[in-house]
Amino acid sequence: GRMSFTSQAELQALLRALTREAKQASLRAQILVAGVSQTGQPIEALLLSRQTDLSPAALRASGRPTVLLVGQQHGDEPAGAEALLVLARELAQGELSALTERLNVIVLPRANPDGAQAGRRATASGIDANRDHLLLRTPEAQAIAGLLRDYAPAVVADAHEYPAVGAYLDKFGGVARADVLLQYATAPNVHEFVTRAAEEWFRQPLLARLQREGLSADWYHTLSTSPETRRVAMGAPRPDMGRNAAGLRHAVSLLVETRGADLGRTHLARRVHTQVVAMTSILASAAARADDLIKLRRFVDTETISRACSGEVTLEAAATPSEYVLRLIDPASGADMPVSVAWDSSLQLQPLKTRIRPCGYWLAARENEAAMRLRGLGLTVQRIEEKGVVRGEGFRETSRSALADAPGALLPQVEVVPALLDVDPGSWYVPLDQPLAALAIAALEPDTPSSYVTHGLVGGVTSVSRVLARPGFRTSTLP
């Protein structure tokens, strides 16, 4: 009989009650205060494990993979938070608790408490937290980055909702049919083995589970806001989106979007049930593949480290144009309504810009804030302690243009200039012989829509250079 969603105070009380109940089931449970929202609301997660020591280092060394479940990054998408509270209860004291014999699980039910309270998509500052996983401008994105950095989850599942009517009705005369839309990480430089694991170990079993429950699924997609454009696109390959940023960390990263972002409380039980079914399947797959997930991470981390200074790297890519049959519902009859559409597939990416892979990046001494953001992502960032010279490439800006979807951002066009780089004490070095190298590439190649230069976090193209030889100068690593 309730007319409101779970409040922030109720959510916090429930998580604390579950920590007590988990102990009765011989589980270790801990509240993780991941951060504080822009209006001062705590961003809290529940950690559940069979390990005695719940420190991040102990869990990373436990031999059990960690699964991170994230809900309500968008405040007007409530079913994810409600479903993750159900899952937290079932993990702490119910039928799912047996999965913690093979897994550590972190449940973050509400990543955007300010948006949830206001019933709006964005954070209090108006920034979309789910587009902020590279720049880390918001404390909400910083909170998620901290969990990813400290606990290195092998699997990340992100619960969202998508609008059921809106553009579907305007463009095609139908309403959305799929109970859930799914997509895994599809950014350039996501390792092919991570992609294969996401499809074979997780999405295929999830589709079978949904079908057994009588729930329908499709690939995640978006419709253009332009009234005359009927083209449909899968989720973009940008590295700053949640699912892609997690994939670049070598996690199996899955987006789960239930139908109903524009429905308020209508069909809420079905929406929550669908999320519970999907997340339960993801947890079961992770438990079944626990040993394989540990081996996968170890292999991909090692291979990424070995690739520094060699080969090519894709800086920017586009989806592949194709055709697809979108299954909608006729609003008059309720019958299935298949619609053939022009479809941009992110399953096959077309490289738009590539360069040789450097050994690392140099940053000017004044770029302290950029160095701290990179460190916040989990990257190793080193301070240069002595003057030196190293072979590399600088950038010369030839023009710049505004980005339509990012007010204030200016995308530079550059020429790459071979150079012997003079490096001074106090400047920064970001090596690529580290597991999270792809995040450094996404942030520091200046001429991409997501880069630190484009968004003003690095002062200009002269403040960053590509280092093409392993440096011989002395450095110290930021703690």
Side-chain angles (χ1 to χ4, degrees):
R2 284 186 55 143
M3 296 306 294
S4 60
F5 301 112
T6 301
S7 71
Q8 186 68 6
E10 289 170 331
L11 184 148
Q12 291 178 259
L14 178 57
L15 293 183
R16 279 153 181 77
L18 290 176
T19 62
R20 296 189 294 270
E21 293 168 9
K23 293 175 185 176
Q24 299 172 9
S26 302
L27 259 173
R28 296 295 304 277
Q30 181 178 319
I31 299 292
L32 304 177
V33 182
V36 178
S37 77
Q38 294 164 44
T39 67
Q41 296 289 329
I43 301 170
E44 294 186 337
L46 179 65
L47 167 62
L48 295 158
S49 177
R50 300 281 175 179
Q51 291 290 116
T52 302
D53 186 347
L54 296 184
S55 68
L59 291 179
R60 291 197 304 268
S62 68
R64 291 185 176 98
T66 295
V67 178
L68 172 61
L69 307 180
V70 179
Q72 214 166 6
Q73 283 199 69
H74 294 149
D76 59 352
E77 299 172 6
E82 305 296 341
L84 292 195
L85 291 172
V86 173
L87 285 156
R89 185 187 66 213
E90 291 301 310
L91 285 161
Q93 61 174 22
E95 294 183 358
L96 299 183
S97 63
L99 296 177
T100 58
E101 298 286 352
R102 302 279 287 160
L103 305 171
N104 310 308
V105 183
I106 300 172
V107 183
L108 175 60
R110 182 171 288 156
N112 179 8
D114 297 345
Q117 186 170 357
R120 71 174 192 175
R121 176 184 176 91
T123 61
S125 62
I127 294 174
D128 186 336
N130 197 39
R131 304 293 188 272
D132 192 33
H133 292 285
L134 192 63
L135 296 171
L136 301 185
R137 296 163 293 181
T138 63
E140 291 81 8
Q142 291 167 16
I144 296 172
L147 295 174
L148 293 166
R149 178 190 67 232
D150 294 345
Y151 293 93
V155 179
V156 179
D158 192 7
H160 286 259
E161 296 201 86
Y162 78 100
V165 189
Y168 290 104
L169 193 60
D170 296 340
K171 292 176 185 293
F172 305 114
V175 297
R177 180 183 186 277
D179 286 293
V180 63
L181 304 180
L182 305 171
Q183 188 168 330
Y184 39 75
T186 52
N189 308 316
V190 173
H191 197 284
E192 61 180 327
F193 286 2
V194 174
T195 301
R196 188 181 304 172
E199 171 64 27
E200 296 177 4
W201 298 353
F202 287 86
R203 195 181 78 92
Q204 288 300 324
L206 174 50
L207 292 175
R209 178 66 179 270
L210 291 166
Q211 187 176 31
R212 289 197 299 272
E213 292 282 337
L215 299 169
S216 55
D218 206 341
W219 286 109
Y220 171 69
H221 56 268
T222 59
L223 277 61
S224 170
T225 56
S226 172
E228 63 276 4
T229 302
R230 290 166 58 92
R231 193 168 201 89
V232 180
M234 290 184 68
R238 289 178 52 154
D240 53 0
M241 296 180 174
R243 68 180 178 280
N244 290 334
L248 293 173
R249 295 172 179 273
H250 309 155
V252 171
S253 174
L254 297 150
L255 174 68
V256 179
E257 295 232 3
T258 42
R259 178 185 55 206
D262 54 350
L263 295 183
R265 291 181 57 83
T266 303
H267 302 311
L268 181 63
R270 186 181 183 96
R271 290 148 56 191
V272 172
H273 174 65
T274 303
Q275 285 282 2
V276 170
V277 169
M279 295 296 173
T280 299
S281 174
I282 290 168
L283 287 165
S285 291
R289 291 286 187 171
D291 294 339
D292 293 329
L293 286 167
I294 295 292
K295 292 175 185 175
L296 174 67
R297 170 62 62 83
R298 200 173 290 143
F299 173 81
V300 176
D301 282 359
T302 301
E303 187 170 76
T304 300
I305 291 169
S306 72
R307 286 180 176 179
C309 310
S310 63
E312 273 196 344
V313 65
T314 299
L315 310 185
E316 194 177 349
T320 299
S322 60
E323 294 183 352
Y324 192 73
V325 176
L326 200 60
R327 298 196 178 278
L328 305 179
I329 296 173
D330 186 317
S333 67
D336 283 359
M337 191 177 92
V339 178
S340 295
V341 297
W343 177 265
D344 290 339
S345 173
S346 294
L347 301 179
Q348 300 88 30
L349 297 179
Q350 301 181 70
L352 299 178
K353 189 177 296 181
T354 62
R355 290 193 179 116
I356 61 169
R357 186 188 302 265
C359 299
Y361 294 92
W362 170 85
L363 278 172
R366 61 182 175 272
E367 302 300 344
N368 291 8
E369 183 58 31
M372 294 305 105
R373 298 284 180 92
L374 294 168
R375 182 69 183 84
L377 290 169
L379 282 153
T380 296
V381 181
Q382 299 172 344
R383 195 99 199 217
I384 297 171
E385 296 187 344
E386 61 185 3
K387 191 172 182 63
V389 178
V390 65
R391 184 170 63 87
E393 292 175 329
F395 299 99
R396 180 186 300 122
E397 184 174 318
T398 58
S399 65
R400 62 174 62 187
S401 57
L403 291 181
D405 61 347
L410 295 172
L411 174 65
Q413 298 301 316
V414 302
E415 293 177 349
V416 178
V417 182
L420 286 176
L421 306 174
D422 292 315
V423 298
D424 295 320
S427 58
W428 306 94
Y429 180 62
V430 184
L432 289 194
D433 54 350
Q434 58 176 309
L436 303 187
L439 290 175
I441 293 165
L444 296 178
E445 291 288 343
D447 50 332
T448 68
S450 301
S451 81
Y452 280 15
V453 171
T454 296
H455 291 271
L457 191 54
V458 169
V461 300
T462 59
S463 289
V464 60
S465 296
R466 312 174 87 239
V467 176
L468 299 183
R470 296 188 185 276
F473 44 76
R474 187 160 44 91
T475 63
S476 59
T477 301
L478 286 180

